Amino acid sequence: MAKVRELDEQYVAGTYGRFPVELASGQGSLVRDFDGKEYIDMGSGIAVTGFGVADGAWVAAVTEQLGRIQHSSNLYYTEPCARLAEQLCQRTGLKKVFFSNSGAEANECAIKVARKYAMERRGPEHYHIITLRNSFHGRTLTTLAATGQDAFHRLFQPLTPGFLHVEAGDLAGLRRLTEDYPCAAVMVEPVQGEGGVLPLSPEFFQGAEALCREKDLLLIVDEVQTGNGRSGQLYAFQHYGVSPDVVTTAKGLGGGLPIGATLLGEKAQNVLGRGDHGSTFGGNPVACAGALNILSRIDEALLAQVREKSAYIFSELEGAPGVKGVSGLGLMIGIQTEKPAGEVLAACREAGVLCLTAKDRLRLLPALNIPFPLLERAVDVIRAACA
Ligand SMILES: Cc1ncc(COP(=O)(O)O)c(C=O)c1O
C-alpha cells in the first residue's frame, strides 16, 4: 500500500481526496484491501456496481463480448448497442438513445438536443436552460455551468453561458425565469445526489413538467445517479408520474464499465441528425453487453427488494442516537449526523464498512442485491458510529 500510495501521489493528478485504502479484490458487496482486510461496500463505486464487484453474470457477458469484437467504431452496426437501446426504450417509453461514456457526456448531449430543438422552433435566442440550485450535472465546462453550485464555478470562468438556477421547490420562481428569459429546457435530478441526497417533492416535479408542456420546453431528467434501479424503480422519474422528454443516465447502467446514455422521447427523438453529435467509444459493444446483462436483471423482484432494504435502513436509522435525519429514495440514502459526517465515515471504515458523504451528510449507495445479513451488519456499524 505504501508504495502504491507513493506512486499515486507522485504521478496521478491530485484531484481526488483519496481514503487510505487500496482495494484489491472482492465479491459482491464484500471488498478486500491488499492486506486482506475485508469491508462491506456501502458505496458501490458511487452508485456504479449495482450487483457488486466481480459479479459472475456480468463478467461472463462482458468477457463473451470481449472474445467476439471489443470495438468497431460507430461506422458499423453492432448487436449489443442496438439491443441495449431497444431495452432502454421499451422499459421507459422513450424512443431513441444516444450512447456516450459518462454522465457528463450524457448531459452534454441532452443540452445540445434542447438547444437545437428550441433554436429550430423559436429562434437562436431561446438557449437558456434552467437547472436547480444545489444540483450536480458533471465536470465539463458546460455541465459545470448547469451545476447549480457556485463553489464549482469560481475557478473556471467563463463557463458556457445560458444556464439559470432556481431553488428546488420554487415553482413560482421557475415560472418567472421562463417568462424573463427565452428558454429551451428545464433540467432536474429527481434526487439531488451530490447535493446531499434530497428528493424533489412530487408537487414541484409535476409542476415543472406542466410548465414545460405549457411553454414547449424540454424536461430533461438527470438520472445519472438515481437511475438503473437505485431509487426502487428502474428510473426515479417513474415514482413521480412524470413523462420526461429526455432522460440521461450512466453510472449503474454499465455495472463498472464506462457508459452514458441519453434517452430521447417523442419530441426529442429526431432533433439530432447525421453529423450533429458523435463519440468514438459511445455504444462500445463490451460496455453495452455488460449493460444489457445489468438491465435484464433489474426486474420487479429486485426493485421490490431495493424498496424493502430502503425501508429497513430508514427504520433502523431514523431517530437513532446521533442521527438528526434520514433522506433519500430507494438505496440512495443521506444521513444527517450530529457528529461531522467525515468523522462517522472514518469510524465506519475502521470498523470495516465503506460509506460515502454528500455535503454534510453520510451517504449510502449499497449494491442493489446486497444480501440482508451484510446490510444488517453494516447498519449496526453505522448506528454505532453515529451514536
Ligand atoms: C446527477 C449526476 N449527473 C452527472 C454526473 C456526472 O457523471 P460522470 O462523473 O459520469 O461524468 C454525476 C456524477 O456524480 C451525477 O451524480
Side-chain angles (χ1 to χ4, degrees):
M1 168 68 185
K3 179 74 177 159
V4 170
R5 189 169 175 172
E6 240 169 64
L7 282 176
D8 190 292
E9 285 172 1
Q10 184 170 354
Y11 292 111
V12 177
T15 60
Y16 301 107
R18 298 202 201 278
F19 300 129
V21 178
E22 185 195 343
L23 293 176
S25 63
Q27 187 64 57
S29 287
L30 284 174
V31 290
R32 274 180 295 280
D33 68 14
F34 266 96
D35 301 324
K37 178 169 175 178
E38 204 162 63
Y39 298 87
I40 302 174
D41 181 10
M42 293 294 283
S44 305
I46 321 188
V48 169
T49 50
F51 290 88
V53 300
D55 169 71
W58 177 82
V59 170
V62 164
T63 41
E64 202 212 349
Q65 183 59 42
L66 266 176
R68 287 173 192 263
I69 186 165
Q70 82 276 27
H71 176 81
S72 73
S73 91
N74 278 307
L75 298 174
Y76 306 97
Y77 298 101
T78 55
E79 188 178 355
C81 169
R83 291 215 182 285
L84 180 60
E86 176 195 34
Q87 283 300 308
L88 286 167
C89 290
Q90 286 184 350
R91 295 191 61 185
T92 60
L94 283 95
K95 303 293 183 196
K96 283 189 192 292
V97 183
F98 179 86
F99 288 113
S100 52
N101 314 286
S102 67
E105 282 175 86
N107 286 337
E108 289 272 346
C109 175
I111 291 162
K112 284 177 75 172
V113 168
R115 288 212 165 149
K116 188 171 177 214
Y117 177 85
M119 192 257 292
E120 287 180 340
R121 293 190 155 221
R122 296 192 292 281
E125 70 282 12
H126 288 261
Y127 58 78
H128 294 93
I129 293 175
I130 306 171
T131 73
L132 301 182
R133 296 228 166 84
N134 196 47
S135 57
F136 186 83
H137 296 294
R139 302 256 185 191
T140 61
L141 283 176
T142 299
T143 56
L144 268 187
T147 292
Q149 302 190 51
D150 292 341
F152 287 107
H153 295 175
R154 266 184 309 111
L155 303 174
F156 305 105
Q157 298 293 331
L159 302 178
T160 305
F163 288 88
L164 306 165
H165 308 292
V166 68
E167 211 63 52
D170 183 4
L171 261 185
L174 181 61
R175 175 173 288 280
R176 254 195 321 278
L177 285 178
T178 66
E179 285 165 2
D180 291 350
Y181 297 86
C183 288
V186 173
M187 177 162 164
V188 300
E189 295 159 90
V191 181
Q192 293 190 332
E194 301 304 306
V197 201
L198 307 170
L200 289 187
S201 73
E203 298 71 33
F204 179 74
F205 205 170
Q206 290 160 8
E209 183 197 29
L211 186 65
C212 286
R213 298 284 161 267
E214 182 190 321
K215 307 268 182 192
D216 192 24
L217 309 177
L218 294 188
L219 176 64
I220 303 171
V221 178
D222 178 342
E223 297 250 15
V224 170
Q225 193 162 147
T226 51
N228 313 298
R230 174 73 34 205
S231 74
Q233 292 288 352
L234 181 58
Y235 290 99
F237 75 82
Q238 294 166 325
H239 284 282
Y240 287 85
V242 297
S243 300
D245 298 300
V246 181
V247 175
T248 62
T249 193
K251 285 187 179 283
L253 179 61
L257 283 175
I259 188 168
T262 308
L263 282 59
L264 305 166
E266 192 80 45
K267 284 183 179 179
Q269 61 179 320
N270 296 317
V271 171
L272 294 181
R274 201 160 290 184
D276 283 343
H277 201 42
S279 163
T280 295
F281 290 116
N284 169 272
V286 178
C288 287
L292 260 174
N293 175 268
I294 296 286
L295 205 57
S296 72
R297 294 154 71 198
I298 307 176
D299 56 12
E300 196 33 59
L302 182 88
L303 294 172
Q305 276 183 35
V306 168
R307 296 192 290 268
E308 196 185 326
K309 288 168 190 170
S310 173
Y312 168 75
I313 297 174
F314 269 86
S315 72
E316 286 294 308
L317 294 179
E318 266 179 334
V323 174
K324 291 203 275 188
V326 185
S327 63
L329 198 57
L331 288 176
M332 184 171 174
I333 292 179
I335 305 158
Q336 220 173 355
T337 50
E338 280 169 14
K339 294 181 195 167
E343 206 176 287
V344 178
L345 184 84
C348 289
R349 188 169 64 241
E350 282 302 305
V353 174
L354 299 180
C355 303
L356 300 161
T357 56
K359 288 280 176 72
D360 61 346
R361 291 169 190 233
L362 195 70
R363 175 170 45 156
L364 309 181
L365 299 164
L368 309 181
N369 69 345
I370 184 172
F372 240 110
L374 280 188
L375 182 62
E376 283 167 354
R377 265 169 55 196
V379 168
D380 285 348
V381 165
I382 294 164
R383 270 177 75 108
C386 288

